[in-house]
Amino acid sequence: TKHLIRKQSVAVSIFALSLIFVCFTQWTNFRLNTGPSPLFYPSEAAQFVLQNKIPGNFINEYAAGSELIWLLYPQYKIFMDGRAANVYDSQYFWYYRHLGSDRIFSKLSDQYNLTFAIAPLSWNLGSQLMSRDDWHLVFFDNAAAVYVKKTDDTAQLIEQHAYTLLNPWRDLNTLLESCKDEEARAVLGS
């Protein structure tokens, strides 16, 4: 009976500690590491993609690939992730590293039928896409931006979500200069 009492007291102790932990997490908003941090990874961009069911294939930045697998699989397959040296052939990786060339990006876009991009704000591909007429910024936050290529399947999404004035690389003074609406200028300037 001593053995049974000991097992019961261990079970009660574990239950009590679990209950205390659950109460603590509820009252303090404490979160266990259950996925990528939205402060550093494109979590909200991935949510935007899923909510809007953007059709087609996308390109992503190498370092964000693992997190995007976590967030988007099985609905989407990522373009590149940290397994590059082991999984992708050298030509694929070479093209990826030279995306700054408009010619190389166009070739990759055509070859892989890319219709959108999830780009961390630190990745120069975003500013390159902003300068193209066929790609449109449809979402951005503090971590990443989503660009969509204009096709028949994406035209409505672009019409609903495209940024025509704001973009993550535009400084406030340039934005204010381009703003014609006085009321909007006042709001932006405050």
Side-chain angles (χ1 to χ4, degrees):
T1 60
K2 282 185 179 183
H3 187 63
L4 183 59
I5 292 172
R6 186 178 215 183
K7 279 186 174 182
Q8 287 176 340
S9 64
V10 168
V12 169
S13 297
I14 290 172
F15 177 75
L17 287 173
S18 299
L19 186 61
I20 290 169
F21 179 75
V22 168
C23 291
F24 171 77
T25 60
Q26 293 300 312
W27 287 318
T28 63
N29 288 328
F30 174 79
R31 300 272 186 243
L32 293 175
N33 185 7
T34 57
S37 166
L39 299 175
F40 303 108
Y41 298 108
S43 304
E44 291 181 26
Q47 282 301 100
F48 178 85
V49 168
L50 290 170
Q51 288 170 353
N52 290 282
K53 297 180 175 111
I54 301 176
N57 300 321
F58 74 99
I59 190 165
N60 62 278
E61 194 259 344
Y62 174 86
S66 298
E67 288 75 21
L68 289 170
I69 290 172
W70 172 278
L71 296 165
L72 295 175
Y73 186 81
Q75 292 89 337
Y76 296 96
K77 293 180 182 178
I78 57 123
F79 187 82
M80 170 85 55
D81 69 287
R83 303 169 298 162
N86 299 323
V87 175
Y88 308 104
D89 65 33
S90 59
Q91 183 179 19
Y92 186 89
F93 194 58
W94 183 90
Y95 276 117
Y96 173 81
R97 287 188 3 225
H98 293 89
L99 281 175
S101 161
D102 202 43
R103 184 178 62 80
I104 289 175
F105 177 78
S106 293
K107 182 175 181 173
L108 272 180
S109 179
D110 293 342
Q111 183 176 350
Y112 293 99
N113 195 27
L114 301 176
T115 55
F116 67 101
I118 299 176
L121 298 183
S122 59
W123 195 23
N124 64 353
L125 180 66
S127 58
Q128 179 183 346
L129 293 176
M130 288 297 294
S131 67
R132 296 176 61 113
D133 292 333
D134 56 340
W135 285 80
H136 302 273
L137 175 66
V138 294
F139 173 88
F140 73 93
D141 63 11
N142 290 330
V146 177
Y147 301 87
V148 175
K149 184 177 184 178
K150 189 161 191 171
T151 67
D152 291 341
D153 292 336
T154 62
Q156 184 178 3
L157 176 79
I158 291 169
E159 185 178 318
Q160 291 173 343
H161 296 284
Y163 287 90
T164 55
L165 189 58
L166 293 176
N167 77 56
W169 296 278
R170 201 168 198 183
D171 68 86
L172 184 58
N173 290 331
T174 307
L175 179 61
L176 287 171
E177 289 171 12
S178 65
C179 187
K180 306 285 188 239
D181 184 332
E182 288 300 320
E183 186 177 333
R185 282 182 91 157
V187 169
L188 290 170
S190 60

